[in-house]
Amino acid sequence: MNGAPESSPVLAATAAQRHASDPEASAWVAASAGSGKTKVLTDRVLSLLLDGVPPERILCLTFTRAASAEMANRINRRLGEWSILSADLLTKEIASLRDRPVNEADIAAARRLLARVLDVPGGLKIQTIHSFCQSLLGRFPIEAGLPPHFEAMDERSAAELMAAARNDLLVAARTPGPLSDALSVVTAHIEETGFTDLMSIVARDRWRIQEMFRRYHGVEGAIAETYAYLKIDPIDSAESVIAGACADGAFDAVGLKLAAAALLGGTEKTDQPKGASVSSWVSASAVERAARFDAYVSEFFTAAGDVRKTLITKKPSDAEPRAEPALRAEAERLSAVMETQRRVVTAHATAALLRLADALLSAYCREKEIRARLDYDDLILKSLDLLSESAGAAWVLFKLDGGLDHILIDEAQDTNPEQWRIVALIAEEFFAGEGARDANRTVFAVGDAKQSIFSFQRADPAAFADMRHHFQKRIEDARGTLRNVELIWSFRSAEAVLKAVDSVFEIDAARDGVADHEVRHQAVREGHAGVVELWPVVAPRDRPAALPWEPPVAREDGDNPASRLAGLLARRIKSWVGHDILESRGRPVRAGDIMVLVRRRDAFVEELVRSLKSQGVPVAGIDRMALTKQLAVMDLMALGRFLLLPEDDL
């Protein structure tokens, strides 16, 4: 590295990358952002190819199609360069990947690799997990119980089918019956616009709901389990709970009468009204007590549901020592009654929602079956069933095992438990019996729990560590080694930025749920300038209260913190442009040297663009827009709706 000392971060980072990309051993890599993760993946595939591994026996699973395309492009570009490089340069390229001398045979083999890869039908298997599952099901549709002509849906098509299923549900609910009753119960707990949101949540978590139905043998089994978990009899209702609590003998009538008499002798403002209320309620019939239950409860509890600190003042309590304990006991009884009432309401509402969910998902499944379509969740779950529970599972695994020797998993922290089970099943024979001895077979995973998209597509960062332990045991049982490699060196960020990040995660509260160990990064870019500034939060300004007698005729400017922050930032940027020197280029700072990163594209972005323009700073503006929100596109969509349905002439 240009004569860099052995202790330089460049050499340390490169050594760690080579350790992780060594094709002779399985590896589990924790890679911080900017540490060269894609390079490690690419280098490992290239090293496998150089070692003579047939391209079709390598499987790379990535998280997104963009990552898959990026990795494929990098590999093909390198192989293309190798085919035309001079012998000296190609020798250096190969030597950078391998820790052994390069000979003529290696050079000749490297030049032929591009042709070998291109000869493989479909090229290298660099796929998303969903794409892999689709190809797996397409290869074994009969074993998976699918029509051979099935197609995978994108998210938009799935949303359209779900909307059609929701409409079918609402039409079916117009007929009196269990579905209509369930809809009435659910809609009693939500506002008008909340029903669509609720059905969207059901659609999003449909795999969990369907898994629950499978576990408890259908919707009725799941409902029965719900009542059992909440310790509620299905025949109970909120009214029956209240009626039971108001029945003769359900409460300490003698103690409450003593307490009521004591309260009537207390303060006029608090004790006496409460005493009258308690006395009247105890003396009423059971039916009257049930009708006045809420008012009675309010004598013991605040609006927030907490037991009142003072149920009786000191003077009447001293006069009748049994009064305060009786009132406390009644408060505890009422608290238990209300808890039971809440559990009853929750149980019935949950049961109703489960019935609606069952109807919705059944209609959605019918829509998919009619069209022979599978959504993304189906691809995963059908593949998992194919590999684990189908009659042909052993045959499918046997065929897969004969075609794979190396599995590489990218963005492993975002792999959900079902996806991990698929990977584990595919690799099951790698380290068992003859499969462990036939050839060098490896598993490679790279990820970083700190970068997990928590809960997205059911991502479970904890599974990353769990699967490491799983594979470590499997590999060690086969007398192999799993390398645990940590890439902490960043080729991307300057030292000041990395130190700021590490300082934040020194705080336990910041690290909680993100990392279970010390977070540390090291910059490869030694000596590069960098600075991190923490600005105070721009808060709304206090506005003086208007005088009661002042007529509202003067116009007052509203306070917009986002606008003020945008103005501050725009003025700071203007002070840099043309004045400060960009030392790395030896010239004044230009507007194009500055990039503003925001957490989300909200109103602040528009305010910032407006402020920069008002300061005369050239700005590229917002480089992404929602096409369906543009007026011209909305007009075309309205025209399309009219052409499809002329009656829709609004």
Side-chain angles (χ1 to χ4, degrees), residues 3 14 35 66 80 145 147 160 169 182 242 270 319 325 338 341 350 417 431 449 509 605 633:
T14 304
S35 60
E160 290 173 351
L169 164 67
I242 293 175
T270 58
M338 291 188 294
Q341 185 183 21
T350 303
F431 315 106
V605 177
V633 177

Side-chain angles (χ1 to χ4, degrees), residues 345-499:
V345 171
T346 300
H348 288 312
T350 303
L353 180 58
L354 290 176
R355 286 199 172 90
L356 290 183
D358 180 54
L360 176 69
L361 298 182
S362 296
Y364 178 58
C365 289
R366 284 196 302 272
E367 296 284 349
K368 289 189 294 183
E369 289 174 0
I370 291 171
R371 296 166 174 79
R373 300 284 186 88
L374 297 180
D375 61 26
Y376 287 154
D377 282 343
D378 292 330
L379 294 174
I380 299 297
L381 297 176
K382 294 286 187 183
S383 296
L384 187 56
D385 288 343
L386 172 65
L387 295 173
S388 60
E389 298 182 9
S390 69
W395 163 252
V396 173
L397 286 169
F398 170 76
K399 296 295 288 182
L400 286 177
D401 183 57
L404 291 176
D405 284 335
H406 304 275
I407 299 177
L408 295 85
I409 307 154
D410 186 19
E411 301 291 2
Q413 77 279 353
D414 288 321
T415 305
N416 67 39
E418 289 74 31
Q419 294 168 352
W420 273 123
R421 286 179 62 194
I422 291 173
V423 173
L425 286 167
I426 295 171
E428 184 66 24
E429 295 302 315
F430 274 29
F431 315 106
E434 293 184 3
R437 297 187 294 272
D438 289 342
N440 179 41
R441 314 184 78 176
T442 65
V443 171
F444 174 87
V446 59
D448 183 11
K450 301 190 300 295
Q451 300 178 59
S452 177
I453 310 173
F454 291 97
S455 78
F456 177 67
Q457 292 188 353
R458 308 188 302 280
D460 183 4
F464 182 55
D466 294 340
M467 291 308 296
R468 177 173 64 84
H469 295 307
H470 167 82
F471 279 112
Q472 186 161 6
K473 184 177 187 307
R474 299 287 292 138
I475 293 170
E476 289 176 352
D477 288 345
R479 299 181 181 177
T481 302
L482 178 68
R483 293 179 178 174
N484 291 301
V485 183
E486 188 174 10
L487 301 180
I488 63 171
W489 294 269
S490 174
F491 290 83
R492 184 183 304 161
S493 300
E495 186 176 9
V497 175
L498 297 176
K499 283 187 175 179

Side-chain angles (χ1 to χ4, degrees), residues 48-60:
L48 288 168
L49 294 173
L50 283 170
D51 279 358
V53 176
E56 62 273 17
R57 302 186 76 85
I58 302 171
L59 172 63
C60 303

Side-chain angles (χ1 to χ4, degrees), residues 204-211 377 381 418 458:
R204 185 190 66 200
D205 290 336
R206 57 187 177 273
W207 76 274
R208 293 181 178 176
I209 297 172
Q210 289 171 328
E211 179 64 25
D377 282 343
L381 297 176
E418 289 74 31
R458 308 188 302 280

Side-chain angles (χ1 to χ4, degrees), residues 544-624:
L547 297 175
W549 54 84
E550 184 177 355
V553 294
R555 180 174 179 177
E556 296 183 4
D557 293 332
D559 177 45
N560 186 345
S563 178
R564 286 192 284 119
L565 176 59
L568 287 169
L569 190 55
R571 289 190 293 274
R572 173 66 67 91
I573 291 173
K574 184 180 180 181
S575 71
W576 293 340
V577 175
H579 299 93
D580 290 7
I581 300 298
L582 187 62
E583 294 183 5
S584 61
R585 301 297 175 87
R587 59 167 172 77
V589 173
R590 299 172 185 166
D593 298 326
I594 300 169
M595 177 186 292
V596 180
L597 300 178
V598 295
R599 181 173 295 178
R600 60 179 65 89
R601 296 171 184 268
D602 53 15
F604 172 72
V605 177
E606 297 179 2
E607 293 285 356
L608 180 58
V609 171
R610 187 180 299 113
S611 297
L612 288 169
K613 288 182 177 179
S614 68
Q615 293 290 332
V617 178
V619 57
I622 304 172
D623 59 358
R624 187 173 67 188

